[in-house]
Amino acid sequence: MDVNIYTLLGQLMVLLIVILLILIIITLILGLYTIKMDRLIFPRLLLFTLNITQSSIRYILRFFKLDELMIDRISIDLRNKINEEKFEQLDAKDVIMVLPHCLRINSCPAVLGPSGLECVKCGKCSIGIIKEVADKKGIDLYIVPGSTFIKNVVKKRPFKGVIGIACPIDLNNAMTALENFTPQGVYLLKDGCIETLVDVDEVIELMNRTQPQRSYTKESILKSGG
């Protein structure tokens, strides 16, 4: 029986496309369910399909002019949920936090050091409040202007867990790269190059959940004057 190699390759290509479409549908359904219902369904399967289909889903969302960052938010929320229990068992001293420099104000008095910006807690942006809680908890905080500084931080200081704050796409990439650790992420409410916004209460809550657990709040820090 003669076999046409081109026909065989065509059939194989169609099969691969069908499999990819099935994986994309599974990923979107499970991902949206996870976000809407705040419940994990087949987390390892979803993480596997996410890793395979992210670029394809992003292209499809972009093609139909939909929010392509949706796939990043799904990935971040999924990784947060998968690592949640393990993260809560970590000592604060074994956790680091990485903030983007864009959270600072335009007139920020911080200077750039070897490990990033050195916050002076001037009180003019959210970084000061976050740093105050981090200092009380014993969590090392790094304010980085770029990926080069993140690499320096990873090499400089051993850690088991990391709290990352960034725009969805950068945070998703960072959490994927740090999956051998125990990452937790909070994505920015407002993107940009400077004076971006993050949910400070959510960040503080993450720090509170490290051991020993505490109940710091933004209001208590402001009331105490630091």
Side-chain angles (χ1 to χ4, degrees):
M1 178 178 173
D2 294 333
V3 178
N4 189 311
I5 185 65
Y6 296 106
T7 300
L8 184 61
L9 287 175
Q11 292 173 342
L12 180 60
M13 182 63 67
V14 171
L15 178 61
L16 290 175
I17 292 174
V18 170
I19 292 174
L20 179 61
L21 288 174
I22 292 173
L23 287 176
I24 288 173
I25 293 171
I26 291 173
T27 301
L28 288 175
I29 291 175
L30 291 179
L32 290 172
Y33 182 87
T34 296
I35 291 178
K36 296 292 185 182
M37 304 303 293
D38 193 28
R39 181 182 176 188
L40 283 175
I41 298 292
F42 307 119
R44 298 298 173 184
L45 172 62
L46 179 53
L47 194 59
F48 172 75
T49 59
L50 265 174
N51 289 336
I52 292 177
T53 63
Q54 272 196 61
S55 58
S56 298
I57 293 176
R58 195 185 305 281
Y59 175 81
I60 292 172
L61 293 173
R62 188 185 304 123
F63 179 82
F64 287 103
K65 297 182 180 180
L66 299 174
D67 181 13
E68 62 183 272
L69 294 181
M70 177 178 66
I71 192 63
D72 297 295
R73 297 188 187 97
I74 290 175
S75 181
I76 292 165
D77 290 346
L78 175 64
R79 294 177 192 279
N80 281 343
K81 293 181 187 303
I82 288 177
N83 290 299
E84 186 175 33
E85 290 187 10
K86 186 177 180 180
F87 179 82
E88 291 177 351
Q89 297 171 3
L90 295 177
D91 289 332
K93 61 181 177 61
D94 293 324
V95 176
I96 65 171
M97 178 182 292
V98 181
L99 301 181
H101 75 105
C102 59
L103 280 171
R104 62 196 174 106
I105 61 168
N106 192 38
S107 58
C108 177
V111 296
L112 187 62
S115 297
L117 291 172
E118 298 174 356
C119 176
V120 297
K121 294 189 281 191
C122 67
K124 296 180 180 179
C125 74
S126 59
I127 293 178
I129 298 174
I130 295 172
K131 179 170 172 54
E132 187 64 38
V133 177
D135 290 345
K136 290 179 181 296
K137 286 284 296 185
I139 295 173
D140 284 349
L141 183 146
Y142 301 91
I143 309 162
V144 297
S147 58
T148 301
F149 280 84
I150 296 178
K151 294 176 182 178
N152 291 339
V153 169
V154 171
K155 293 177 182 178
K156 179 179 180 180
R157 193 242 200 242
F159 61 93
K160 297 179 181 178
V162 55
I163 300 173
I165 298 170
C167 62
I169 189 168
D170 287 344
L171 183 58
N172 182 21
N173 290 336
M175 292 180 72
T176 302
L178 295 170
E179 62 183 359
N180 291 331
F181 298 91
T182 307
Q184 292 285 283
V186 180
Y187 41 82
L188 296 174
L189 300 174
K190 171 191 170 187
D191 291 349
C193 297
I194 197 148
E195 296 186 356
T196 55
L197 297 175
V198 69
D199 187 334
V200 176
D201 293 321
E202 186 177 355
V203 178
I204 292 176
E205 176 59 24
L206 272 178
M207 290 189 282
N208 282 335
R209 281 157 47 192
T210 58
Q211 299 297 325
Q213 293 193 357
R214 293 289 185 263
S215 56
Y216 296 117
T217 64
K218 180 171 61 178
E219 289 73 21
S220 67
I221 295 299
L222 291 172
K223 186 176 180 180
S224 66

